[in-house]
Amino acid sequence: MLWILWMALRPDPGITLDFPYGDKLLHATTFTCLMGWWGNVYRERHARGWAAWGCLAFGIFIEFAQWLCPPRDADVFDVLADGIGILLALLLLRTALANVLASVESWSMRWRRH
């Protein structure tokens, strides 16, 4: 999350998609990954709901911080793209992908013991 915040507040993050709405695709992709990660950490439905609200609040915080940090600017459509990414992650978390991070963590714990 610190990396996302750092990238969001840099004057020039250096990452662009040079096509219409490319910035919105970056927002949606970033928040899909962010919510996917938190959704694997918090696996119960209620906890995932709070994680989703936390991710959305983080997106709103970023836009507010950008409004205070020229040359960046706030955009309500960025928050909308963040929300779409969060919803996409919640849908993906209903598939077998929901076990990805848990499986990696389980594997890494077994590997460390050897």
Side-chain angles (χ1 to χ4, degrees), residues 23-24 27 56 59-60 63-64 66 73-84:
D23 174 56
K24 306 310 176 236
H27 275 265
L56 186 60
I60 293 168
E63 293 306 311
F64 181 72
Q66 285 180 340
D73 59 346
D75 185 353
V76 70
F77 293 110
D78 286 349
V79 175
L80 179 62
D82 298 345
I84 290 169

PDB file of all heavy atoms in Angstrom, residues 23-24 27 56 59-60 63-64 66 73-84:
ATOM      1  N   ASP A  23      -5.447   5.466 -17.858  1.00  0.00           N
ATOM      2  CA  ASP A  23      -5.264   5.779 -16.438  1.00  0.00           C
ATOM      3  C   ASP A  23      -6.316   5.049 -15.596  1.00  0.00           C
ATOM      4  O   ASP A  23      -6.017   4.530 -14.521  1.00  0.00           O
ATOM      5  CB  ASP A  23      -5.369   7.294 -16.226  1.00  0.00           C
ATOM      6  CG  ASP A  23      -5.328   7.665 -14.762  1.00  0.00           C
ATOM      7  OD1 ASP A  23      -4.355   7.298 -14.081  1.00  0.00           O
ATOM      8  OD2 ASP A  23      -6.281   8.320 -14.285  1.00  0.00           O
ATOM      9  N   LYS A  24      -7.528   5.004 -16.093  1.00  0.00           N
ATOM     10  CA  LYS A  24      -8.608   4.324 -15.350  1.00  0.00           C
ATOM     11  C   LYS A  24      -8.352   2.814 -15.305  1.00  0.00           C
ATOM     12  O   LYS A  24      -8.621   2.167 -14.289  1.00  0.00           O
ATOM     13  CB  LYS A  24      -9.976   4.604 -15.965  1.00  0.00           C
ATOM     14  CG  LYS A  24     -10.313   6.075 -16.131  1.00  0.00           C
ATOM     15  CD  LYS A  24     -10.088   6.876 -14.864  1.00  0.00           C
ATOM     16  CE  LYS A  24     -10.342   8.351 -15.088  1.00  0.00           C
ATOM     17  NZ  LYS A  24      -9.237   9.202 -14.741  1.00  0.00           N
ATOM     18  N   HIS A  27      -5.893   2.236 -12.580  1.00  0.00           N
ATOM     19  CA  HIS A  27      -6.554   2.302 -11.275  1.00  0.00           C
ATOM     20  C   HIS A  27      -7.301   1.006 -10.984  1.00  0.00           C
ATOM     21  O   HIS A  27      -7.171   0.432  -9.906  1.00  0.00           O
ATOM     22  CB  HIS A  27      -7.538   3.483 -11.217  1.00  0.00           C
ATOM     23  CG  HIS A  27      -6.902   4.770 -10.852  1.00  0.00           C
ATOM     24  ND1 HIS A  27      -6.869   5.236  -9.568  1.00  0.00           N
ATOM     25  CD2 HIS A  27      -6.267   5.693 -11.606  1.00  0.00           C
ATOM     26  CE1 HIS A  27      -6.244   6.394  -9.529  1.00  0.00           C
ATOM     27  NE2 HIS A  27      -5.867   6.700 -10.764  1.00  0.00           N
ATOM     28  N   LEU A  56     -11.513   1.007  -0.661  1.00  0.00           N
ATOM     29  CA  LEU A  56     -12.188   2.158  -1.262  1.00  0.00           C
ATOM     30  C   LEU A  56     -11.819   3.444  -0.516  1.00  0.00           C
ATOM     31  O   LEU A  56     -11.546   4.479  -1.141  1.00  0.00           O
ATOM     32  CB  LEU A  56     -13.700   1.950  -1.271  1.00  0.00           C
ATOM     33  CG  LEU A  56     -14.496   3.024  -2.002  1.00  0.00           C
ATOM     34  CD1 LEU A  56     -14.092   3.103  -3.466  1.00  0.00           C
ATOM     35  CD2 LEU A  56     -15.988   2.745  -1.870  1.00  0.00           C
ATOM     36  N   GLY A  59      -8.492   4.530  -1.661  1.00  0.00           N
ATOM     37  CA  GLY A  59      -8.583   5.202  -2.955  1.00  0.00           C
ATOM     38  C   GLY A  59      -9.054   6.644  -2.825  1.00  0.00           C
ATOM     39  O   GLY A  59      -8.525   7.555  -3.478  1.00  0.00           O
ATOM     40  N   ILE A  60     -10.047   6.872  -1.970  1.00  0.00           N
ATOM     41  CA  ILE A  60     -10.542   8.231  -1.732  1.00  0.00           C
ATOM     42  C   ILE A  60      -9.453   9.073  -1.078  1.00  0.00           C
ATOM     43  O   ILE A  60      -9.244  10.240  -1.452  1.00  0.00           O
ATOM     44  CB  ILE A  60     -11.824   8.189  -0.881  1.00  0.00           C
ATOM     45  CG1 ILE A  60     -12.957   7.548  -1.693  1.00  0.00           C
ATOM     46  CG2 ILE A  60     -12.212   9.580  -0.392  1.00  0.00           C
ATOM     47  CD1 ILE A  60     -14.186   7.195  -0.873  1.00  0.00           C
ATOM     48  N   GLU A  63      -6.971  10.233  -3.671  1.00  0.00           N
ATOM     49  CA  GLU A  63      -7.466  11.342  -4.486  1.00  0.00           C
ATOM     50  C   GLU A  63      -7.438  12.652  -3.709  1.00  0.00           C
ATOM     51  O   GLU A  63      -7.071  13.696  -4.249  1.00  0.00           O
ATOM     52  CB  GLU A  63      -8.874  11.047  -5.008  1.00  0.00           C
ATOM     53  CG  GLU A  63      -8.930   9.914  -6.002  1.00  0.00           C
ATOM     54  CD  GLU A  63      -7.976  10.089  -7.169  1.00  0.00           C
ATOM     55  OE1 GLU A  63      -7.941  11.175  -7.783  1.00  0.00           O
ATOM     56  OE2 GLU A  63      -7.235   9.122  -7.467  1.00  0.00           O
ATOM     57  N   PHE A  64      -7.804  12.597  -2.431  1.00  0.00           N
ATOM     58  CA  PHE A  64      -7.746  13.798  -1.599  1.00  0.00           C
ATOM     59  C   PHE A  64      -6.302  14.286  -1.475  1.00  0.00           C
ATOM     60  O   PHE A  64      -6.027  15.476  -1.595  1.00  0.00           O
ATOM     61  CB  PHE A  64      -8.346  13.530  -0.218  1.00  0.00           C
ATOM     62  CG  PHE A  64      -8.346  14.722   0.681  1.00  0.00           C
ATOM     63  CD1 PHE A  64      -9.217  15.786   0.455  1.00  0.00           C
ATOM     64  CD2 PHE A  64      -7.457  14.807   1.741  1.00  0.00           C
ATOM     65  CE1 PHE A  64      -9.208  16.901   1.277  1.00  0.00           C
ATOM     66  CE2 PHE A  64      -7.444  15.919   2.569  1.00  0.00           C
ATOM     67  CZ  PHE A  64      -8.320  16.965   2.340  1.00  0.00           C
ATOM     68  N   GLN A  66      -3.880  13.752  -3.593  1.00  0.00           N
ATOM     69  CA  GLN A  66      -3.464  14.296  -4.889  1.00  0.00           C
ATOM     70  C   GLN A  66      -4.007  15.705  -5.088  1.00  0.00           C
ATOM     71  O   GLN A  66      -3.353  16.545  -5.697  1.00  0.00           O
ATOM     72  CB  GLN A  66      -3.923  13.388  -6.023  1.00  0.00           C
ATOM     73  CG  GLN A  66      -3.111  12.135  -6.139  1.00  0.00           C
ATOM     74  CD  GLN A  66      -3.563  11.237  -7.268  1.00  0.00           C
ATOM     75  OE1 GLN A  66      -4.694  11.334  -7.749  1.00  0.00           O
ATOM     76  NE2 GLN A  66      -2.685  10.346  -7.696  1.00  0.00           N
ATOM     77  N   ASP A  73      -3.842  15.865  -9.519  1.00  0.00           N
ATOM     78  CA  ASP A  73      -5.186  16.388  -9.269  1.00  0.00           C
ATOM     79  C   ASP A  73      -6.128  15.237  -8.927  1.00  0.00           C
ATOM     80  O   ASP A  73      -5.881  14.087  -9.249  1.00  0.00           O
ATOM     81  CB  ASP A  73      -5.712  17.180 -10.469  1.00  0.00           C
ATOM     82  CG  ASP A  73      -5.776  16.360 -11.737  1.00  0.00           C
ATOM     83  OD1 ASP A  73      -5.191  15.271 -11.789  1.00  0.00           O
ATOM     84  OD2 ASP A  73      -6.415  16.822 -12.690  1.00  0.00           O
ATOM     85  N   ALA A  74      -7.190  15.572  -8.236  1.00  0.00           N
ATOM     86  CA  ALA A  74      -8.181  14.580  -7.825  1.00  0.00           C
ATOM     87  C   ALA A  74      -9.169  14.355  -8.965  1.00  0.00           C
ATOM     88  O   ALA A  74      -9.470  15.255  -9.733  1.00  0.00           O
ATOM     89  CB  ALA A  74      -8.916  15.072  -6.583  1.00  0.00           C
ATOM     90  N   ASP A  75      -9.662  13.114  -9.061  1.00  0.00           N
ATOM     91  CA  ASP A  75     -10.618  12.776 -10.110  1.00  0.00           C
ATOM     92  C   ASP A  75     -11.592  11.740  -9.556  1.00  0.00           C
ATOM     93  O   ASP A  75     -11.187  10.645  -9.158  1.00  0.00           O
ATOM     94  CB  ASP A  75      -9.877  12.214 -11.329  1.00  0.00           C
ATOM     95  CG  ASP A  75     -10.778  11.934 -12.514  1.00  0.00           C
ATOM     96  OD1 ASP A  75     -12.018  12.041 -12.384  1.00  0.00           O
ATOM     97  OD2 ASP A  75     -10.240  11.601 -13.579  1.00  0.00           O
ATOM     98  N   VAL A  76     -12.869  12.093  -9.515  1.00  0.00           N
ATOM     99  CA  VAL A  76     -13.891  11.184  -9.001  1.00  0.00           C
ATOM    100  C   VAL A  76     -13.961   9.908  -9.836  1.00  0.00           C
ATOM    101  O   VAL A  76     -14.287   8.833  -9.320  1.00  0.00           O
ATOM    102  CB  VAL A  76     -15.253  11.894  -8.906  1.00  0.00           C
ATOM    103  CG1 VAL A  76     -15.835  12.176 -10.276  1.00  0.00           C
ATOM    104  CG2 VAL A  76     -16.226  11.083  -8.072  1.00  0.00           C
ATOM    105  N   PHE A  77     -13.606  10.000 -11.113  1.00  0.00           N
ATOM    106  CA  PHE A  77     -13.627   8.816 -11.968  1.00  0.00           C
ATOM    107  C   PHE A  77     -12.493   7.844 -11.633  1.00  0.00           C
ATOM    108  O   PHE A  77     -12.593   6.652 -11.921  1.00  0.00           O
ATOM    109  CB  PHE A  77     -13.616   9.209 -13.445  1.00  0.00           C
ATOM    110  CG  PHE A  77     -14.892   9.895 -13.851  1.00  0.00           C
ATOM    111  CD1 PHE A  77     -14.895  11.250 -14.145  1.00  0.00           C
ATOM    112  CD2 PHE A  77     -16.090   9.204 -13.904  1.00  0.00           C
ATOM    113  CE1 PHE A  77     -16.073  11.882 -14.504  1.00  0.00           C
ATOM    114  CE2 PHE A  77     -17.267   9.823 -14.251  1.00  0.00           C
ATOM    115  CZ  PHE A  77     -17.262  11.175 -14.551  1.00  0.00           C
ATOM    116  N   ASP A  78     -11.423   8.355 -11.012  1.00  0.00           N
ATOM    117  CA  ASP A  78     -10.378   7.460 -10.517  1.00  0.00           C
ATOM    118  C   ASP A  78     -10.929   6.602  -9.375  1.00  0.00           C
ATOM    119  O   ASP A  78     -10.660   5.412  -9.302  1.00  0.00           O
ATOM    120  CB  ASP A  78      -9.159   8.245 -10.032  1.00  0.00           C
ATOM    121  CG  ASP A  78      -8.340   8.824 -11.171  1.00  0.00           C
ATOM    122  OD1 ASP A  78      -8.574   8.462 -12.341  1.00  0.00           O
ATOM    123  OD2 ASP A  78      -7.453   9.657 -10.883  1.00  0.00           O
ATOM    124  N   VAL A  79     -11.716   7.225  -8.495  1.00  0.00           N
ATOM    125  CA  VAL A  79     -12.336   6.476  -7.393  1.00  0.00           C
ATOM    126  C   VAL A  79     -13.330   5.454  -7.954  1.00  0.00           C
ATOM    127  O   VAL A  79     -13.401   4.326  -7.465  1.00  0.00           O
ATOM    128  CB  VAL A  79     -13.018   7.430  -6.389  1.00  0.00           C
ATOM    129  CG1 VAL A  79     -13.765   6.640  -5.313  1.00  0.00           C
ATOM    130  CG2 VAL A  79     -11.999   8.360  -5.755  1.00  0.00           C
ATOM    131  N   LEU A  80     -14.047   5.842  -8.988  1.00  0.00           N
ATOM    132  CA  LEU A  80     -14.975   4.899  -9.621  1.00  0.00           C
ATOM    133  C   LEU A  80     -14.211   3.705 -10.194  1.00  0.00           C
ATOM    134  O   LEU A  80     -14.621   2.552 -10.017  1.00  0.00           O
ATOM    135  CB  LEU A  80     -15.778   5.598 -10.725  1.00  0.00           C
ATOM    136  CG  LEU A  80     -16.771   4.729 -11.481  1.00  0.00           C
ATOM    137  CD1 LEU A  80     -17.845   4.180 -10.551  1.00  0.00           C
ATOM    138  CD2 LEU A  80     -17.405   5.533 -12.611  1.00  0.00           C
ATOM    139  N   ALA A  81     -13.084   3.965 -10.846  1.00  0.00           N
ATOM    140  CA  ALA A  81     -12.252   2.883 -11.391  1.00  0.00           C
ATOM    141  C   ALA A  81     -11.696   2.012 -10.262  1.00  0.00           C
ATOM    142  O   ALA A  81     -11.639   0.783 -10.391  1.00  0.00           O
ATOM    143  CB  ALA A  81     -11.114   3.455 -12.234  1.00  0.00           C
ATOM    144  N   ASP A  82     -11.310   2.644  -9.147  1.00  0.00           N
ATOM    145  CA  ASP A  82     -10.860   1.878  -7.980  1.00  0.00           C
ATOM    146  C   ASP A  82     -11.970   0.943  -7.515  1.00  0.00           C
ATOM    147  O   ASP A  82     -11.736  -0.239  -7.237  1.00  0.00           O
ATOM    148  CB  ASP A  82     -10.479   2.806  -6.827  1.00  0.00           C
ATOM    149  CG  ASP A  82      -9.326   3.742  -7.143  1.00  0.00           C
ATOM    150  OD1 ASP A  82      -8.612   3.511  -8.134  1.00  0.00           O
ATOM    151  OD2 ASP A  82      -9.159   4.724  -6.392  1.00  0.00           O
ATOM    152  N   GLY A  83     -13.186   1.471  -7.428  1.00  0.00           N
ATOM    153  CA  GLY A  83     -14.335   0.669  -6.994  1.00  0.00           C
ATOM    154  C   GLY A  83     -14.620  -0.487  -7.931  1.00  0.00           C
ATOM    155  O   GLY A  83     -14.944  -1.593  -7.487  1.00  0.00           O
ATOM    156  N   ILE A  84     -14.489  -0.250  -9.225  1.00  0.00           N
ATOM    157  CA  ILE A  84     -14.683  -1.326 -10.203  1.00  0.00           C
ATOM    158  C   ILE A  84     -13.630  -2.417  -9.998  1.00  0.00           C
ATOM    159  O   ILE A  84     -13.932  -3.608 -10.039  1.00  0.00           O
ATOM    160  CB  ILE A  84     -14.661  -0.767 -11.639  1.00  0.00           C
ATOM    161  CG1 ILE A  84     -15.931   0.059 -11.882  1.00  0.00           C
ATOM    162  CG2 ILE A  84     -14.521  -1.881 -12.671  1.00  0.00           C
ATOM    163  CD1 ILE A  84     -15.923   0.875 -13.147  1.00  0.00           C
TER     164      ILE A  84
END
